[in-house]
Amino acid sequence: NAGVTQTPKFQVLKTGQSMTLQCAQDMNHNSMYWYRQDPGMGLRLIYYSASEGTTDKGEVPNGYNVSRLNKREFSLRLESAAPSQTSVYFCASSGGQGTGANVLTFGAGSRLTVL
Amino acid sequence: AQSVTQLGSHVSVSEGALVLLRCNYSSSVPPYLFWYVQYPNQGLQLLLKYTSAATLVKGINGFEAEFKKSETSFHLTKPSAHMSDAAEYFCAVSRMEYGNKLVFGAGTILRVKS
């Protein structure tokens, strides 16, 4: 019962480098999300995908791109990393209708440091 | 826009004491409300959710929360704290007209003293 799997767990980048965070879920969920967590700010939504083939911006999309590769996978790409993107990134997924659609299952997180 | 405010970034209680974590939401229409818990170095787990079926909601690990429309609050309580309750707790809100996306509060770190 893997749930939501994120890779890598840790990454250190230099300013200007690019990287992709990978996320996969095995629960047949329609919706997937990328959040970032910063101290004292809770979790902020970067992008989400309500279904395969669709993506939408969240609260803090600048500097990021996403790809919903198929129903299972949702990747987050930093094209030119900046120190302000140092954060812990969480992927989540949800399925069902109505309030069931709001019960998110989270991955363990990816800690990214940009020097 | 909807938002949620958690009062107190840090709360400290003694083992066996009452736990009270405060959450207020801003919405003219009762939203869906959630409490999530994050243990160190882990992702978030759902504690409980309010879906308008009942104002008092019971969750896992002995936690419960009461929805009070007049106060726009959804405070989290537990009668007797355990050491294992030490974690960060997040209140979250969503509404269907915003695509059911969750908006999280800033979080409250609960410390339990022995």
Side-chain angles (χ1 to χ4, degrees):
Chain A
N1 55 344
V4 178
T5 303
Q6 294 179 231
T7 56
K9 293 192 185 316
F10 301 94
Q11 184 72 51
V12 178
L13 291 176
K14 294 181 180 178
T15 297
Q17 288 185 319
S18 62
M19 76 157 298
T20 299
L21 299 176
Q22 307 284 355
C23 176
Q25 52 92 8
D26 61 2
M27 296 168 287
N28 201 36
H29 284 168
N30 287 322
S31 300
M32 297 187 73
Y33 311 80
W34 277 105
Y35 284 88
R36 60 177 288 174
Q37 182 180 26
D38 302 290
M41 303 188 74
L43 278 76
R44 293 179 293 169
L45 182 64
I46 305 172
Y47 270 94
Y48 71 103
S49 170
S51 61
E52 185 179 354
T54 68
T55 61
D56 286 287
K57 295 178 180 179
E59 303 169 72
V60 289
N62 291 344
Y64 305 95
N65 286 301
V66 290
S67 296
R68 184 73 182 268
L69 304 171
N70 47 56
K71 192 171 185 179
R72 291 187 64 249
E73 298 172 289
F74 188 39
S75 62
L76 178 72
R77 183 162 177 83
L78 286 69
E79 292 290 354
S80 179
S84 62
Q85 295 178 302
T86 293
S87 187
V88 181
Y89 292 85
F90 286 97
C91 178
S93 69
S94 69
Q97 300 298 317
T99 57
N102 305 101
V103 178
L104 272 59
T105 300
F106 284 84
S110 299
R111 185 174 295 275
L112 174 66
T113 302
V114 183
L115 303 176
Chain B
Q2 55 185 354
S3 67
V4 60
T5 302
Q6 291 184 240
L7 298 176
S9 60
H10 292 77
V11 170
S12 183
V13 300
S14 298
E15 193 173 18
L18 171 71
V19 175
L20 171 60
L21 304 181
R22 300 177 186 274
C23 173
N24 289 88
Y25 65 91
S26 64
S27 174
S28 59
V29 176
Y32 300 136
L33 293 157
F34 304 79
W35 276 99
Y36 280 82
V37 60
Q38 184 181 30
Y39 298 103
N41 300 313
Q42 295 186 27
L44 278 70
Q45 304 173 34
L46 179 69
L47 264 182
L48 50 81
K49 64 179 181 181
Y50 167 74
T51 62
S52 77
T55 56
L56 183 62
V57 181
K58 294 187 184 298
I60 61 172
N61 300 336
F63 284 93
E64 62 183 35
E66 185 172 9
F67 172 72
K68 292 187 176 180
K69 183 179 179 181
S70 60
E71 299 177 7
T72 61
S73 69
F74 190 57
H75 301 331
L76 182 71
T77 60
K78 182 174 180 178
S80 177
H82 295 168
M83 297 297 290
S84 60
D85 294 327
E88 188 163 15
Y89 293 80
F90 293 93
C91 184
V93 62
S94 74
R95 281 171 54 188
M96 294 185 69
E97 53 263 55
Y98 295 117
N100 281 330
K101 298 188 294 296
L102 282 182
V103 173
F104 286 87
T108 298
I109 295 173
L110 176 66
R111 178 185 171 217
V112 182
K113 299 175 292 185
S114 59

